[in-house]
Amino acid sequence: VTSPTPILHIDMDAFFAAVTIRERPELRRLPVLVGGGGTRGVVLSATYPARAAGVHSGMPMARALRMCPDAVVVSPGGSGYSAVSHAVMETFRSITPLVQAMSVDEAFLDVSGAERRFGSPERIGELLRARIADEQGITCSVGVAATVELAKLASGLAKPDGMMVLRPEDVPRVVHPLPVDALWGVGPKIAAQLRRIGLETVGDVSRTPVSTLRHALGPAAGTAIHLWSRGVGRREIRARTSIEVPDRSIGAQETFGRDLGDPVLIRRELLRLATRVAVRVRAAGVVGRTVTLTVRFTDFTTITRAHSLGTPTDVTADVYAAVSDLYAALALGLTPLRLVGVRVSGLVPGDRVPRQLVLGQREPGRSDVERAADRLVERFGSRAVRPGSLVGRERP
DNA sequence: TCTGGGGTCCTAGGACCC
DNA sequence: TCTGGGGTCCTAGGACCC
């Protein structure tokens, strides 16, 4: 007695804005924009009154304020978000261990093993919506379907504060009339590509030979959207409790308040970013082999340069040395930059067994020194231990 | 007063190896 | 003295997602 639609996608409505309003109820029903305070910020989250004016997340804050001049702007500083996120994920796990967290505010659940205890997927969806509203004071939307792609689509159609069950037989009636970019994985570029060959709706795509789609979009994307348009998709969810430890790469980047050309200041920022990244790599208990530098110019063109090390590392000095060499090799002179970024990829589990150089004597490696420093930072704050060149200097 | 930050996956070309 | 085919790794860029 397993439901044919055991996959739930649960998505908090305007998550960052909703958590902010929970703490400041006087803002309820007002257009609220959560986002970067600086001149170069974007909207992280907007309440529905602001969305009614055309604002959406990712939009430059300046443009959002032009569209919605009465909006209240709130910095996302508070720490409430991850507490609410963890609590919500725990609520999900009280139903089933098969929870795949996709971000702070959304997750997939496979409830096929929970039906005997909690009832049908719809019932579980309503149960979770009620519990999250009661316990967290925010609303969410739920999609119920046979595949993750359809569940995701359904939760989007149910928004805000709703639920939609999308059965396989509903696909032609409900999904086919939608524009192609309603499909997960179809963004502006692929949508434009599909329009160019005369395909406007999901139904159009579903009636197009897969070879045509592969030719237009490449083998992977062509095959995938052909399947999705017909309601075929992924039915397994990968239980994943934490989104805080990525498994492919760990990186950090920073857009400057004003474009920066001085190599001394740029290197200082690279050191700061390398430190931040390496701390996270060590905390994750992994080491990475490839270090990538990202540079964005004033005109927004962005380039990357990568270097793979002989041995994977979690050492700040190694990451900084690599990124510093990559920066030097670009020979940018005083060219102003808008952004720099550092990323470590090719992550593998770190061997926490200390290497034996001399019999019975442990190598006092940099990794160990830095781990000790990490513990001090954890206890006493980030000012306790940091590179000398970062002491007493404000961010550029 | 345009365009954040943190990720994943795919593609394509070149090097290198058998 | 005219040069195949396949596999893997690396790098760079791009599309997409939240």
Side-chain angles (χ1 to χ4, degrees), chain A residues 161-205:
Chain A
D161 197 13
M163 182 168 88
M164 176 183 278
V165 182
L166 195 52
R167 296 187 174 79
E169 60 267 30
D170 300 329
V171 167
R173 177 175 55 84
V174 178
V175 182
H176 282 184
L178 299 173
V180 287
D181 59 2
L183 293 177
W184 202 23
V186 178
K189 303 290 178 170
I190 291 178
Q193 195 75 13
L194 291 170
R195 270 197 299 277
R196 200 166 310 149
I197 58 173
L199 308 179
E200 300 276 349
T201 68
V202 177
D204 294 341
V205 172

Side-chain angles (χ1 to χ4, degrees), chain A residues 22 31 38 43 60 86 91 131 164 168 182 216 300 311 329 334 340 374 388-389:
Chain A
R22 197 180 71 148
V43 176
H86 286 121
T91 302
R131 273 190 65 183
M164 176 183 278
F300 222 74
T311 330
L334 296 175
V340 292
D374 293 346
S389 76

Side-chain angles (χ1 to χ4, degrees), chain A residues 115-145:
Chain A
E115 291 181 55
R116 273 215 331 211
R117 282 177 68 200
F118 296 103
S120 68
E122 292 108 296
R123 225 182 110 76
I124 292 172
E126 285 303 357
L127 174 76
L128 286 171
R129 278 171 33 74
R131 273 190 65 183
I132 287 164
D134 284 356
E135 295 169 8
Q136 307 302 329
I138 62 175
T139 68
C140 63
S141 299
V142 177
V144 183

Side-chain angles (χ1 to χ4, degrees), chain A residues 80 94 100 171 379 381:
Chain A
S94 72
Q100 182 173 3
V171 167
R379 285 180 61 186

Side-chain angles (χ1 to χ4, degrees), chain A residues 65-79:
Chain A
L65 282 172
R66 251 180 276 132
M67 298 177 81
C68 192
D70 302 333
V72 181
V73 179
V74 181
S75 290
S79 62

